[in-house]
Amino acid sequence: MTTSATAAGREPRTRQGKRFRALASSLVGALLIAGGSAGVCAAAAQQPRLPDTATGSLVIEHVTVLPMTETGAILTDATVVVENGRITSFTGPGPVEALRVNGEGRWLIPGLMDLHVHLPTAGSPRPPSYPTEPPSVFFDTQDLMTPFIANGVTQILNMDSVPASVGQRNEVASGAVLGPHVALAAVINGGEAPNGRIVNTPKDGRQAVRSVRAEGYDFIKPYSGLDVETFLVT
């Protein structure tokens, strides 16, 4: 149940504040109320607004915790203290100046991971009529990320990433958008497939792997159009 973050003093305070607000809201989003996701959204909306001058400490009081331990024993009436991006205590009390959230009657769970999502990016519902035709459908990154956070998902893997997906990931990483940690997988395909980077020889496959790495993607998704020889090098 640890969430990594850069230690205080290693980056500008403004960026620390953005990261802390994202962490705090992620934890608040993981507070579950019996009754489903509608209750989760309502609970998150009722929490105090996170200040721009956040100190980096968060305390969630009187909450029931479902921990990731060997026994899985439930912790009741816990006081969860988060300092510099890490959970440091389940028994409080925490720094006096910390942001405090009342978790009474709610559950706090480890952040969930969704390891196969497809995030839409700006585009068109039909093939372009000409190569430079601009997109006609647009998506707000915050609109895409809010449902994940509201339902306790703090890590996602986009399995159909394109260059615009790198921008979405960077918006979250910079603190401009509140969202889960985003990892990106680029599709490498073969034959005459309509999606992914098309490669049909081992040489082209190796170059595609180099390009994917250089462009900032985290994973490769080899797809069904690849022949065996090319698949083995990707």
Side-chain angles (χ1 to χ4, degrees):
M1 283 190 62
T2 58
T3 304
S4 7
T6 304
R10 295 185 182 177
E11 60 182 345
R13 185 173 181 82
T14 300
R15 187 175 298 174
Q16 287 179 3
K18 288 180 178 178
R19 289 181 184 274
F20 171 70
R21 291 195 299 276
L23 167 66
S25 295
S26 296
L27 287 170
V28 171
L31 285 170
L32 303 184
I33 298 179
S37 59
V40 176
C41 296
Q46 294 170 4
Q47 297 304 326
R49 182 177 180 84
L50 301 176
D52 291 336
T53 56
T55 63
S57 298
L58 170 70
V59 177
I60 304 176
E61 302 173 309
H62 308 298
V63 67
T64 302
V65 179
L66 183 63
M68 291 185 67
T69 59
E70 290 185 6
T71 64
I74 295 173
L75 307 177
T76 59
D77 197 27
T79 298
V80 180
V81 180
V82 182
E83 297 179 276
N84 296 322
R86 291 189 177 275
I87 294 175
T88 58
S89 174
F90 291 104
T91 57
V96 175
E97 71 277 8
L99 173 67
R100 294 180 179 269
V101 175
N102 182 13
E104 186 175 0
R106 302 173 187 171
W107 291 72
L108 181 64
I109 65 172
L112 303 175
M113 294 187 290
D114 191 336
L115 298 182
H116 194 137
V117 305
H118 288 215
L119 295 178
T121 57
S124 176
R126 55 170 175 75
S129 300
Y130 49 91
T132 57
E133 181 180 5
S136 58
V137 178
F138 301 89
F139 297 91
D140 182 270
T141 304
Q142 186 62 74
D143 290 343
L144 298 175
M145 298 300 173
T146 297
F148 293 114
I149 290 297
N151 288 282
V153 177
T154 57
Q155 173 74 60
I156 61 174
L157 173 57
N158 186 355
M159 293 293 283
D160 190 24
S161 301
V162 296
S165 306
V166 178
Q168 292 174 331
R169 181 189 63 188
N170 292 347
E171 286 185 273
V172 175
S174 70
V177 166
L178 173 63
H181 297 285
V182 180
L184 305 178
V187 176
I188 297 181
N189 210 342
E192 298 181 358
N195 63 314
R197 299 161 191 255
I198 307 304
V199 295
N200 291 303
T201 67
K203 179 180 178 181
D204 289 344
R206 293 187 185 94
Q207 182 55 50
V209 172
R210 295 188 199 98
S211 297
V212 166
R213 180 177 181 180
E215 292 167 20
Y217 297 91
D218 305 293
F219 298 94
I220 291 171
K221 180 182 178 181
Y223 217 61
S224 56
L226 292 168
D227 60 50
V228 174
E229 292 76 13
T230 307
F231 171 82
L232 290 175
V233 303
T234 60

